[in-house]
Amino acid sequence: MRLIEQYEKDGIVIDVNSLLTTSDAVIDIKQIMVMNNEEVLFCFDTVEDRIIMTQSADAFIAKYRDYLGTLEKKAAHVDTGCGCKSCK
């Protein structure tokens, strides 16, 4: 097992110590682990449940795909601009 600071898949980027506010919960990413079989796991807790939970990255992304997609669009707009005249 090894720890990583950032995980990216299909254009979605999740960092350690990210706070994700979804319609269900506020999620705090504590660790991202790559297991020996190359499976990636997220360790996180929520404001409601202050216990560390572990879930595979694929399951986590599938569950929150719509929300994570909005984060990606906002980040792209803020960091690089969307390309419209007002961003240039």
Side-chain angles (χ1 to χ4, degrees), residues 3-70:
L3 298 176
I4 58 175
E5 293 295 315
Q6 184 178 76
Y7 177 73
E8 181 175 356
K9 183 175 183 178
D10 300 331
I12 294 173
V13 179
I14 298 176
D15 294 305
V16 170
N17 295 323
S18 293
L19 282 175
L20 310 173
T21 305
T22 69
S23 60
D24 297 357
V26 176
I27 300 166
D28 185 4
I29 304 294
K30 300 292 189 184
Q31 288 183 330
I32 304 172
M33 301 179 292
V34 180
M35 304 307 286
N36 292 337
N37 63 359
E38 298 303 314
E39 179 183 19
V40 177
L41 301 174
F42 293 151
C43 293
F44 60 95
D45 67 3
T46 66
V47 170
E48 295 81 15
D49 300 314
R50 284 307 207 182
I51 56 172
I52 299 292
M53 296 172 265
T54 303
Q55 189 171 39
S56 77
D58 290 339
F60 185 91
I61 289 171
K63 183 175 181 179
Y64 297 108
R65 179 166 297 283
D66 291 339
Y67 170 74
L68 294 169
T70 64

Side-chain angles (χ1 to χ4, degrees), residues 71-84 86-88:
L71 289 180
E72 174 193 3
K73 290 176 189 168
K74 288 179 185 175
H77 178 75
V78 170
D79 294 339
T80 60
C82 68
C84 72
S86 63
C87 289
K88 290 183 178 181

